[in-house]
Amino acid sequence: MSGPHEALADAWPCIFRPMRREQMLIGQAYTDAADGRTFERRSPYSGEVIATYPEAGLADVERAAADARKTFEDGRWSGAPAKVRAAILRKTADVLRARLDDFAANLVAEVGKPISAAKGEVQGAAEVLEYYAALALDLHGEAYSAQAADALGLVLREPVGVVGVIIPWNFPLVLACWKLGPALAAGCTVVLKPSHWTSGSAILLARALSDSGLPPGVLNVVTGEAENGAVIGQALCQSPLVDKIAFTGSTATGKKVMQTCAQTLKRVSLELGGKSPNVVFADAPAIDAAVAGAFFGIFMNAGQVCQAGSRLLVQRSIHAEFVDKLVAMTRGKLRLGDPAQPSTTLGPLVSEPQLRRVVGYLDQGKSCGAVLKTGGGRPADPALARGHFVEPTIFDAVPADATIAQEEIFGPVLSVLPFEDEADALRLANHTTYGLAAAIWTRDLNVAVRLAKGIRAGTVWVNAYHGTGVANQMPYGGYRQSGIGRELGRAGLDEYLETKSVQIKLG
Ligand code: NAD
């Protein structure tokens, strides 16, 4: 063992010492599953066992929900002063930064994301906790004192109660913090169920929160393998002890979550899939910047990004030149390899099922009338054979109704569609059942604003993709089948608050 792997082994020993067994957190204690069952996580890069986690059963979920309920009711967190909640969130952000190597090593090992991106995710998680620490200090309601001389109306904001947090594997740390930040700032208690592919970051995060002073019982973590993961997720959705489910995952699972939550009329927020249009006009401020934006838009995190710019719409007059430049950048810049190596820019996909799914879409792409410009299969390099790698792939001239232009692939696969004019661009941009994000590249402010208003999506960037530097302050979520509710910003805190009217008659 040598080089970066050694450093990773020191930071997160279970990468190379599989005998180490992780435990989940229920109430006061880190614990095994009640029936002692476990499951293994294998490296998406090497196939080796990297960790063993408890295989929670229904009894464990019930215990976690009961503990979260009891803790919510006893007021140790819901009634704690805002400055205490804020201080613990801030301290946790500091702990994340202090343990950056451990967290990043875990993300490299379990998600397969390149080490530099893994470190970026840890920083992003720390920042969102700090943001909600600040908002906790500004949590307030309203007063109506000027409507009638003998009456006072108060609008109180109260924590929604026990929250079941269900998250996916692609950004397991930052997405947990998008939910835990506002939930804990509001005074809620939580049962967190991570994806079975990425249980480790949830456990590391729980330790960071406990070490920062979070009282026992406020956060519970239950881990479970694939099918059982769905069973314990459903158990959380069913539990009468849980008041709200905050879910991020696929649209198909989101529908099941909503259906189950309807039985107890739980509050639900859903952050789901996307097929986001990245629209480049011929007058884009700098074509090379737009090419880089399109590249980053689709290939970040190997395309396993809900808001990936997976439909690239390019105005016909620059289309050929643009695609040539993008293909050249893709061939020249992406380095597939061990995600622990700093030189790697494209890691493996997270799992074997995800690999099969993406390869299935590559086959569909080759038979739908599109033109394959680069990639299209698994890499030939024998050094990559054990990892779940696919080549970064660009299909051009994709028919607008083709499966690869309509369905979320969640891999490094781009569909390019040329368009004629602004009306055509808007029509194509909205030709999807999703509505998570979009980008528009143009110098013309009128075109930018008209399209930003016309595209039915929760986030629109102009002359950028994936962000502009304004981040946690901006509400994030989907139109249409991309979700319900908003995360981040003040809107993200509202999702964890109930509203109570108190009307006082003065004597
Ligand atoms: P998934 O829907 O398969 O699983 C998400 C989570 O739900 C996992 O923890 C899983 O164990 C759990 N789960 C599975 N079946 C369940 C059920 N019946 N009831 C309750 N819980 C259940 O999604 P995934 O493959 O882990 O993640 C990829 C998906 O997540 C993509 O569709 C992606 O677009 C979406 N995503 C959305 C956002 C967003 O903010 N909109 C962000 C990241 C990922």
Side-chain angles (χ1 to χ4, degrees):
M1 205 192 300
S2 66
H5 267 129
E6 244 166 17
L8 290 186
D10 290 342
W12 205 57
C14 59
I15 295 177
F16 294 103
R17 289 172 210 129
M19 286 67 78
R20 175 179 168 143
R21 277 174 47 164
E22 293 290 339
Q23 292 184 305
M24 54 191 179
L25 175 61
I26 300 183
Q28 308 270 345
Y30 287 89
T31 174
D32 294 330
D35 60 9
R37 287 192 305 151
T38 60
F39 69 96
E40 291 175 340
R41 173 64 174 130
R42 287 178 180 274
S43 157
Y45 172 66
S46 69
E48 286 157 20
V49 175
I50 51 176
T52 303
Y53 297 104
E55 172 74 306
L58 292 180
D60 299 299
V61 178
E62 273 165 31
R63 211 151 54 85
D67 226 282
R69 180 89 247 154
K70 188 160 92 19
T71 308
F72 181 73
E73 308 274 330
D74 74 20
R76 80 182 78 157
W77 187 247
S78 56
K83 66 180 181 187
V84 170
R85 299 200 301 272
I88 289 172
L89 288 172
R90 269 198 313 274
K91 173 109 190 276
T92 309
D94 292 341
V95 171
L96 257 60
R97 291 195 182 101
R99 298 179 188 168
L100 185 131
D101 288 343
D102 302 35
F103 277 96
N106 166 266
L107 296 172
V108 168
E110 293 204 319
V111 187
K113 68 177 64 188
I115 182 78
S116 59
K119 288 183 177 173
E121 180 169 345
V122 184
Q123 296 289 4
E127 282 168 19
V128 81
L129 294 180
E130 275 170 346
Y131 174 71
Y132 281 107
L135 278 198
L137 296 176
D138 191 36
L139 225 174
H140 62 273
E142 295 167 45
Y144 288 85
S145 57
Q147 303 298 309
D150 61 348
L152 179 64
L154 298 177
V155 182
L156 306 184
R157 308 305 309 276
E158 299 183 339
V160 78
V162 176
V163 183
V165 169
I166 303 177
I167 51 168
W169 43 262
N170 58 338
F171 290 90
L173 180 64
V174 90
L175 292 177
C177 291
W178 281 21
K179 292 172 167 54
L180 290 184
L184 296 177
C188 298
T189 60
V190 174
V191 180
L192 168 63
K193 195 212 88 57
S195 163
H196 59 287
W197 303 115
T198 52
S199 309
S201 54
I203 292 166
L204 287 173
L205 180 59
R207 289 212 187 97
L209 279 155
S210 317
D211 293 350
S212 303
L214 191 75
V218 178
L219 173 65
N220 299 267
V221 181
V222 285
T223 55
E225 225 270 301
E227 280 168 30
N228 188 45
V231 172
I232 60 176
Q234 281 292 299
L236 272 180
C237 298
Q238 275 162 357
S239 171
L241 302 175
V242 175
D243 299 288
K244 173 192 163 76
I245 293 290
F247 173 83
T248 298
S250 63
T251 294
T253 308
K255 289 177 184 175
K256 289 183 200 155
V257 164
M258 194 166 171
Q259 230 164 10
T260 307
C261 287
Q263 291 160 21
T264 44
L265 270 190
K266 276 187 190 40
R267 279 85 187 110
V268 181
S269 48
L270 303 172
E271 293 293 345
L272 308 177
K275 192 75 186 176
S276 299
N278 186 11
V279 187
V280 184
F281 284 86
D283 72 339
I287 292 293
D288 287 345
V291 168
F295 172 88
F296 182 52
I298 184 61
F299 295 126
M300 183 176 91
N301 211 37
Q304 303 169 118
V305 182
C306 51
Q307 64 182 27
S310 52
R311 281 189 305 142
L312 175 64
L313 313 183
V314 187
Q315 194 154 25
R316 197 173 294 279
S317 56
I318 58 160
H319 162 253
E321 177 199 352
F322 194 95
V323 172
D324 284 350
K325 286 188 163 184
L326 183 58
V327 168
M329 183 176 275
T330 302
R331 289 192 180 141
K333 278 207 159 175
L334 287 176
R335 297 268 171 281
L336 281 65
D338 180 349
Q341 294 282 353
S343 57
T344 296
T345 50
L346 196 79
L349 300 180
V350 74
S351 64
E352 222 271 315
Q354 187 63 15
L355 174 65
R356 266 187 274 124
R357 188 184 134 94
V358 173
V359 168
Y361 280 113
L362 294 179
D363 294 341
Q364 298 219 26
K366 290 178 205 160
S367 59
C368 73
V371 179
L372 177 63
K373 299 295 283 190
T374 189
R378 302 204 53 200
D381 182 351
L384 302 177
R386 291 209 299 162
H388 308 310
F389 286 95
V390 285
E391 293 175 314
T393 298
I394 298 175
F395 287 106
D396 193 13
V398 178
D401 287 318
T403 306
I404 60 162
Q406 288 295 323
E407 293 186 8
E408 182 181 52
I409 297 174
F410 229 57
V413 183
L414 178 66
S415 294
V416 186
L417 293 80
F419 69 85
E420 305 300 335
D421 54 19
E422 185 184 332
D424 197 26
L426 182 60
R427 180 186 63 79
L428 282 170
N430 280 333
H431 187 61
T432 169
T433 54
Y434 292 111
L436 192 58
I440 303 151
W441 300 77
T442 177
R443 266 202 198 97
D444 187 332
L445 189 60
N446 294 309
V447 172
V449 172
R450 278 197 298 268
L451 250 82
K453 289 172 78 173
I455 294 177
R456 304 212 11 98
T459 292
V460 180
W461 299 285
V462 176
N463 296 331
Y465 206 97
H466 284 317
T468 56
V470 191
N472 297 327
Q473 298 74 9
M474 303 293 284
Y476 184 84
Y479 278 39
R480 306 201 274 194
Q481 295 201 28
S482 286
I484 294 177
R486 291 292 177 269
E487 301 203 279
L488 300 182
R490 286 185 174 272
L493 185 60
D494 286 344
E495 298 282 341
Y496 297 90
L497 295 169
E498 277 286 13
T499 301
K500 179 180 280 175
S501 289
V502 178
Q503 301 199 21
I504 303 169
K505 186 79 177 164
L506 303 176

